[in-house]
């Protein structure tokens, strides 16, 4: 009997443990899309309860048999001496307990059965709803049916759909397309929380100039040679950044500045893009991009904005809130950043992983674009139709969202970088220690020297030539023996070499890097080759595939900015194919005395000033206050009176003082002047010839038929078309053309058939990106 009781007791414990495991393993109601799975799990639990009840009943029957045997006289008498009666009293108590437990289990089984019946009934109702959904026919959602059809065929192509609850049923498609995306109307039977009016968001914290760059160095992180390079540069220029911040703070005189949350994603440093720069840091590769990124990071941080820095795709996905999968679904929550600074690699990565959210938030993106993207290459449809499609263009962004290293075209925003400033003592020391017969060659890669023996031989007659070409074991054969090659130098040692040299000479490549400005800032004369014909994507491999034409002799030399914005005596541009001109230039340069010179826009203060203005005033997410551009030609179209008036000398148009209240535009419309180009000139050139800068923001004010009349241009016909050269006039046939697509307003481009209407503005001394009242 003790043996039987023990078996019964341990069986009871085992069953209770199993029952507890069954209940704890399942949690009902986790998701409306897991009802079937949970019900099946609960059915298993009900089976366990029934088996447990049956076993307890069997145990009770066997206990009852033992009790009858115990009452038998023969049995009792034969064993009385060895088994006193009081030894079996606990057995009777145990039996009562087992009987009570059995009753409780039976009650539980009944209740669970009732719950399961209700659950199955509700599940069938819900399943019926989910299987019987019909695609709504709502004119407000014209794409709904097409999107549902796509989901039927492709919903398994990306795990992100299942992440948002799609399970292959019609209703799950509609729930996703109405609640995650926005192509279908909400389903009326869905439980939707009534929107509660939330209190207005708290005021933004104000940006305060930062004095300690240690936090920025932590944000940049470690693990890549390129990051170490950028951190060294920031540390080296730290004091200049802080002095510039103090000066700009005084200039702004306590003006309120909202602190922005900014993501900086350096796409070309990610492993997915190949990270081609990090291995070249120690081998003399081009470092211009990393110089610019280091300066952008420093400027944004010093201005007091909240930054996050990423150089990996995994970090980017985490910061953006990308759902798991292949990137077809929107972000799981609103984008937490006001601005995102990235490059073309990062832009592509964002598009691949943000789904529809990329289109929603692309207005917040700022693309660091070394050579620029002209509107003709940016507009996808136009680029495809007109042959402007390249590997890097057709993003349909506002052209000013692309930010360049030099002011190539006013269509883009000029971001720039900084060069080291010298104090008065350093300037005097440099002038005293200059060696008039010392030249440094621009080019750290051996390939740049190939085929330059003729120039080097002429230069060697007058000057001692120094190079900084990288080599591991032996001297590169491209570098002649008479050249004193220092190998790759750290930045501060390279600066010391420039401070002694008289001449910094370029052989045509690399294009438009920061080194010539550093040389000029250290008192060197920069000598470069004139390109004839000018280089462009049409005739030179380097520019082929880049989203810019550089038409009308823009790339007429190795460094157009140095040629156009600095010029002699600091910059000499000569024909290297003419040995006499080249040699004469060398002789003249040796006799010429120049002071160190750095344009204001390439100082720390100049860059802080420029980025501050962009952050405060550039907004590509809200509707512009400028007048809308006409899309179609209609005889009944009525335009408001032009706010422009003829200048006193009748050569161009200006903003009329009697135009009433000026629109809230940036740059301010008071700086606008309208000039007509010559047939062979771009608007960029036309404005520059009048001491002005082309301003594409103002094109909307020119894109009107009345403006032609105000400029005394006779139009036999006026058409609206997509063309990056419009508004313009074909004078020979008296045909006028207005722009149909605002994204194609462009300062670049020309055609000898047209004279273009060009919007120009003034600019701050030494700061071509900003008008006089733009700060």
């Amino acid at each position: 009997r003790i043996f039987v009781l023990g078996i019964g007791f341990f069986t009871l414990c085992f069953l209770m443990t199993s029952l507890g495991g069954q209940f704890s393993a399942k949690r009902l109601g986790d998701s409306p899309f897991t009802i079937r799975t949970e019900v099946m799990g609960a059915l298993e639990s009900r089976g366990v309860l029934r088996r447990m009840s049956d076993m307890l009943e069997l145990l009770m029957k066997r206990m009852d048999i033992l009790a009858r045997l115990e009452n038998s006289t023969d049995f009792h008498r034969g064993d009385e001496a060895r088994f006193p009666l009081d030894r079996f009293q606990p057995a009777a108590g145990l039996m009562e307990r087992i009987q009570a437990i059995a009753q409780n289990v039976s009650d539980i089984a009944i209740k669970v059965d009732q719950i399961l019946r209700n659950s199955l009934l509700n599940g069938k109702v819900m399943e019926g709803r989910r299987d019987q959904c019909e695609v709504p026919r709502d004119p407000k959602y014209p794409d709904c049916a097409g999107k549902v059809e796509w989901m039927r065929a492709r919903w398994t192509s990306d795990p992100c759909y299942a992440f948002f609850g799609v399970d292959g049923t019609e209703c799950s498609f509609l729930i996703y397309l109405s609640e995650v995306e926005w192509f279908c109307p909400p389903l009326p039977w869905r439980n939707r929380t009534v929107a509660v009016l939330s209190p207005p968001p708290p005021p933004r914290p104000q940006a305060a100039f930062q004095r300690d760059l240690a936090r920025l160095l932590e944000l940049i992180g470690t693990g890549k040679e390129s990051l170490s390079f950028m951190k060294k540069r920031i540390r080296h220029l730290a004091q200049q950044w802080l002095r510039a911040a103090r000066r700009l703070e005084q200039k702004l005189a306590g003006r309120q500045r909202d602190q922005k949350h900014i993501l900086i994603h350096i796409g070309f440093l990610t492993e997915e893009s190949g990270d081609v720069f990090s291995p070249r840091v120690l081998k003399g590769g081009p470092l211009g991009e990393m110089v610019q990124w280091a300066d952008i990071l420093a400027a944004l941080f010093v201005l007091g904005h909240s930054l996050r820095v990423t150089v990996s795709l995994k970090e980017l996905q985490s910061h953006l809130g990308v759902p798991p999968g292949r990137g077809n679904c929107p972000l799981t929550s609103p984008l937490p950043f006001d601005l995102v600074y990235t490059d073309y690699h990062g832009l592509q990565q964002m598009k691949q992983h943000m789904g529809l959210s990329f289109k929603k938030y692309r207005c917040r993106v700022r693309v660091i674009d070394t050579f620029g993207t002209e509107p003709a290459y940016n507009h996808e449809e136009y680029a495809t139709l007109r042959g402007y499609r390249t590997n890097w263009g057709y993003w349909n962004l506002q052209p000013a969202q692309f930010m360049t290293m030099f002011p190539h075209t006013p269509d883009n925003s000029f971001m720039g970088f900084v060069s080291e400033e010298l104090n008065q003592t350093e300037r005097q020391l440099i002038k005293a220690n200059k060696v008039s017969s010392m030249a440094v060659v621009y080019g750290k890669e051996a390939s740049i020297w190939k085929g330059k023996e003729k120039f080097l031989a002429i230069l060697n007659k007058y000057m001692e030539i120094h190079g900084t070409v990288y080599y591991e074991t032996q001297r590169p054969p491209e570098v002649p023996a008479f050249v004193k090659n220092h190998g790759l130098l750290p930045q501060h040692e390279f600066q010391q070499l420039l401070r002694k040299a008289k001449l910094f000479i370029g052989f045509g490549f690399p294009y438009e890097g920061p080194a010539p400005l550093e040389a000029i800032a250290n008192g060197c004369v920069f000598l470069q080759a004139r390109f004839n014909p000018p280089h462009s994507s049409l005739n030179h491999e380097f520019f082929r595939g880049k989203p810019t034409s550089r038409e009308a002799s823009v790339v007429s030399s190795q460094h157009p900015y140095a040629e156009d914005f600095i010029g002699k005596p600091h910059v000499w541009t000569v024909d290297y194919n003419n040995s006499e001109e080249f040699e004469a230039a060398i002789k003249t340069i040796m006799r010429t005395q120049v002071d160190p010179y750095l344009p204001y826009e390439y100082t720390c203060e100049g860059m802080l000033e420029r980025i501050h203005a962009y952050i405060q005033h550039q907004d590509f997410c809200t509707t512009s206050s400028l007048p809308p551009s006409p899309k179609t030609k209609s005889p009944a179209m009525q335009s408001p009176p032009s706010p422009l008036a003829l200048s006193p000398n009748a050569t161009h148009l200006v903003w009329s003082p009697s135009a009433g209240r000026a629109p809230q535009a940036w740059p301010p419309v008071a700086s606008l002047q309208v000039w007509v180009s010559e047939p062979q000139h771009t608007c960029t050139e036309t404005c520059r010839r009048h001491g002005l800068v082309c301003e594409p923001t103002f094109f909307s004010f020119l894109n009107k038929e009345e403006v032609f009349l105000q400029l005394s241009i006779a139009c036999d016909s006026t058409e609206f078309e997509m063309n990056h050269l419009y508004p313009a006039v074909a004078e020979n046939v008296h045909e006028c053309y207005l722009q149909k697509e605002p994204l194609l307003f462009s300062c670049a481009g020309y055609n000898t058939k047209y004279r273009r209407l060009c919007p120009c503005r003034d600019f701050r001394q030494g700061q071509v990106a900003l008008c006089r009242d733009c700060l």
Side-chain angles (χ1 to χ4, degrees):
R1 276 180 288 176
I2 292 175
F3 175 75
V4 172
L5 288 173
I7 292 296
F9 178 75
F10 285 114
T11 301
L12 177 62
C13 294
F14 172 77
L15 288 172
M16 293 300 291
T17 304
S18 300
L19 180 62
Q22 289 290 336
F23 276 119
S24 63
K26 300 295 179 182
R27 291 178 297 133
L28 294 176
D30 280 350
S31 168
F33 300 102
T34 56
I35 291 173
R36 189 176 299 168
T37 301
E38 302 299 348
V39 169
M40 292 304 296
L43 287 172
E44 294 171 3
S45 298
R46 182 173 63 178
V48 172
L49 284 170
R50 286 177 174 172
R51 288 195 298 272
M52 180 179 174
S53 180
D54 293 341
M55 293 183 72
L56 285 170
E57 288 180 9
L58 179 61
L59 182 61
M60 290 294 296
K61 289 178 181 179
R62 291 179 179 177
M63 292 289 291
D64 186 58
I65 292 171
L66 285 174
R68 286 198 300 270
L69 287 174
E70 184 180 353
N71 292 329
S72 170
T73 306
D74 296 337
F75 181 82
H76 178 73
R77 288 177 179 175
D79 293 312
E80 186 176 1
R82 288 180 292 136
F83 299 100
L85 286 173
D86 57 353
R87 295 278 301 275
F88 292 97
Q89 294 305 315
L94 177 62
M95 182 174 162
E96 292 175 359
R97 293 191 190 99
I98 292 174
Q99 191 172 10
I101 292 172
Q103 182 62 44
N104 289 337
V105 171
S106 178
D107 294 342
I108 292 173
I110 293 171
K111 291 180 180 179
V112 169
D113 189 67
Q114 292 173 347
I115 293 171
L116 289 174
R117 289 177 185 276
N118 292 333
S119 298
L120 286 172
L121 181 62
N122 293 336
K124 289 178 180 179
V125 173
M126 181 64 70
E127 191 67 31
R129 278 185 176 179
R130 293 169 65 237
D131 288 337
Q132 295 174 11
C133 284
E134 295 183 359
V135 179
R137 305 295 177 182
D138 190 332
K140 296 179 181 178
Y141 300 89
D143 299 322
C144 184
K147 291 293 181 180
V148 171
E149 189 68 30
W150 187 95
M151 291 289 288
R152 289 192 193 110
R154 301 291 303 278
W155 76 272
T156 58
S157 63
D158 194 322
C160 71
Y161 297 117
F163 172 81
F164 282 111
V166 177
D167 63 358
T169 60
E170 203 81 354
C171 286
S172 71
F173 299 152
L174 291 172
I175 291 170
Y176 174 84
L177 291 171
S178 62
E179 297 179 15
V180 180
E181 297 184 6
W182 46 88
F183 294 105
C184 295
L187 298 176
W189 54 268
R190 287 284 290 173
N191 290 328
R192 303 185 63 84
T193 304
V194 178
V196 179
L197 291 177
S198 57
R204 278 182 172 272
Q206 293 300 297
F209 286 96
Q210 297 295 312
R211 309 297 184 196
D212 183 5
L213 296 179
R215 172 60 182 152
L216 173 61
L217 300 179
E218 293 178 10
L219 287 172
I220 294 174
T222 58
K224 293 178 180 287
E225 289 294 340
S226 47
L227 298 180
S228 299
F229 173 88
M230 289 191 281
K231 289 166 73 172
K232 287 178 183 177
R233 178 174 175 82
I234 291 171
R235 278 193 291 263
H236 180 69
L237 295 174
Q239 292 305 312
Q240 296 200 26
W241 283 114
L242 298 181
R243 287 195 295 268
R246 285 193 293 269
R247 291 194 294 266
L248 181 58
E249 189 173 20
Q250 293 172 357
K251 191 181 298 183
L252 295 178
R255 194 178 307 171
Q256 294 292 301
R257 298 183 299 118
D258 287 344
Q259 185 185 62
K260 305 289 186 179
H261 295 283
I262 301 176
L263 174 66
I264 298 101
H265 177 62
I266 310 177
F268 71 80
L269 292 183
T270 60
E271 298 300 331
E272 289 76 10
S273 67
D275 190 12
V276 296
F277 283 89
S278 289
R280 300 167 71 180
V281 171
L282 300 179
K283 298 183 179 180
L287 304 180
E289 287 86 350
M290 281 182 282
V291 165
Q292 187 181 33
W293 273 107
D295 296 344
I296 292 170
L297 286 164
L300 292 173
F301 183 82
V302 168
L303 285 169
H305 299 291
S306 174
L307 308 184
R308 289 290 181 273
V309 183
T310 66
V311 291
S312 76
L313 187 56
K314 185 177 181 180
E315 289 177 312
L316 174 69
Q317 292 173 322
S318 174
H319 286 304
L320 295 178
V322 174
R326 300 188 179 93
N328 290 307
C329 298
L331 301 182
T332 57
S333 58
L335 185 69
F337 300 102
D338 302 301
L339 295 170
V340 179
Y341 285 80
T342 189
D343 52 25
Y344 262 121
H345 294 282
L347 193 64
Q348 185 66 43
Q349 291 167 352
M350 290 175 64
K351 182 179 181 182
Q352 288 175 348
H353 294 277
M354 289 177 66
L356 291 173
S357 295
F358 178 78
K359 184 176 181 181
K360 180 178 181 180
Y361 294 118
R362 64 183 176 181
C363 60
R364 303 188 190 184
V365 174
R366 305 294 183 264
V367 185
I368 307 304
D369 178 10
T370 303
F371 294 99
T373 299
E374 294 174 2
Y377 294 83
N378 171 60
H379 192 281
E380 184 175 14
E381 179 186 357
Y382 184 77
T384 303
L385 292 174
R386 300 297 183 94
Y388 289 102
R389 197 173 177 92
T390 67
N391 296 332
W392 300 103
Y394 57 88
W395 284 94
N396 293 322
L397 301 178
Q398 292 292 334
Q401 288 179 255
F402 298 99
M403 310 191 109
T404 59
M405 184 173 282
F406 293 95
H408 308 297
T409 169
D411 294 324
N412 303 147
S413 298
F414 165 43
M415 171 59 76
F417 58 93
V418 304
S419 288
E420 188 171 356
E421 298 177 72
L422 305 175
N423 58 39
Q424 193 60 36
T425 302
E426 291 171 324
R427 294 165 64 91
Q428 293 299 326
L429 193 61
I430 286 175
K431 290 178 66 176
N433 293 333
K434 279 291 179 185
V435 180
S436 60
S437 59
M438 179 179 173
V440 175
V441 175
Y442 181 18
K444 292 175 284 188
E445 293 184 354
S447 59
I448 296 172
W449 297 65
K450 190 174 182 179
K452 307 301 188 298
E453 296 82 1
K454 181 180 178 181
F455 312 132
L456 290 169
I458 296 174
L459 182 61
N460 189 48
K461 291 166 52 178
Y462 302 95
M463 292 184 150
E464 180 181 78
I465 306 175
H466 294 251
T468 57
V469 182
Y470 170 80
Y471 64 94
E472 291 182 353
T473 56
Q474 60 183 7
R475 186 185 188 89
E478 294 87 351
V479 181
F482 55 77
V483 174
K484 184 177 181 181
N485 187 27
H486 299 263
L488 188 62
L489 294 177
Q491 187 68 14
H492 69 279
E493 293 185 26
F494 181 63
Q495 294 276 353
Q496 294 301 319
L497 190 65
L498 292 177
R499 292 184 179 191
K500 291 176 62 178
K502 177 72 174 181
L503 177 66
F504 189 63
I505 181 170
F507 288 138
F509 190 84
Y511 294 105
E512 302 175 303
L517 266 66
E518 294 177 350
I520 295 167
N522 282 286
C524 293
V525 173
F526 177 51
L527 177 64
Q528 64 173 347
R530 178 181 296 115
F531 297 151
N532 189 18
H535 291 179
S536 72
S537 59
L538 305 178
N539 63 11
H540 199 275
E541 186 62 31
F542 178 82
F543 290 102
R544 192 163 291 123
K546 292 182 170 58
T548 172
S549 297
R550 298 298 188 88
E551 297 171 320
S553 73
V554 173
V555 187
S556 58
S557 63
Q558 181 176 352
H559 207 292
Y561 176 85
E563 179 185 7
D564 296 334
F565 288 84
I566 300 177
K568 292 182 179 180
H570 301 280
V571 180
W572 290 62
T573 306
V574 301
D575 183 2
Y576 279 23
N577 294 320
N578 187 328
S579 299
E580 293 181 357
E581 182 181 355
F582 179 79
E583 189 168 0
I586 298 294
K587 293 178 181 179
T588 306
I589 289 170
M590 292 180 68
R591 299 191 302 266
T592 304
Q593 296 293 323
V594 296
D595 293 330
Y597 173 73
L598 179 61
Y600 174 74
E601 54 201 358
Y602 284 96
T603 65
C604 290
E605 184 179 355
M607 187 168 184
L608 285 177
E609 184 179 277
R610 189 164 58 248
I611 295 182
H612 155 74
Y614 290 155
I615 290 176
Q616 295 303 309
H617 299 292
Q618 284 186 336
D619 184 357
F620 305 110
C621 297
T622 57
T623 305
S624 173
S625 61
L626 300 181
S629 299
K631 299 289 183 182
T632 57
K633 175 66 176 175
S634 171
M637 184 181 294
Q638 297 294 325
S639 299
S642 172
L644 304 174
L646 203 60
S647 64
N649 58 8
T651 58
H652 60 282
L653 300 180
V654 296
W655 190 263
S656 174
S658 60
R661 184 179 178 182
Q664 293 296 316
W666 190 85
V669 293
S671 62
L672 168 63
Q673 297 184 26
V674 183
W675 291 83
V676 182
S677 76
E678 295 299 322
Q680 70 275 19
H681 290 163
T682 66
C683 280
T684 300
E685 292 175 300
T686 298
C687 294
R688 187 179 298 165
R689 286 171 176 262
H690 297 289
L692 303 167
V693 174
C694 183
E695 179 49 66
T697 304
F698 292 150
F699 265 114
S700 293
F701 295 113
L702 282 59
N703 202 42
K704 298 178 180 180
E705 200 169 349
E706 311 88 79
V707 176
F708 291 111
L709 298 175
Q710 289 181 289
L711 290 166
S712 302
I713 297 174
C715 300
D716 291 343
S717 64
T718 304
E719 301 293 337
F720 295 92
E721 295 182 9
M722 271 201 323
N723 193 308
H724 71 288
L725 302 179
Y726 295 165
V729 56
E731 285 193 318
N732 293 338
V733 292
H734 300 288
E735 294 177 349
C736 297
Y737 300 92
L738 297 176
Q739 181 62 258
K740 184 179 179 181
E741 173 52 67
L743 282 181
L744 286 173
F745 284 136
S746 177
C747 294
Y750 77 100
N751 187 311
T752 55
K753 175 183 175 182
Y754 300 118
R755 297 183 68 197
R756 301 188 58 189
L757 301 190
C758 299
C760 307
R761 62 161 170 83
D762 56 33
F763 58 92
R764 295 169 67 85
Q765 184 65 34
Q767 184 75 284
V768 69
L770 304 179
C771 70
R772 291 171 188 163
D773 297 324
C774 279
L775 189 58

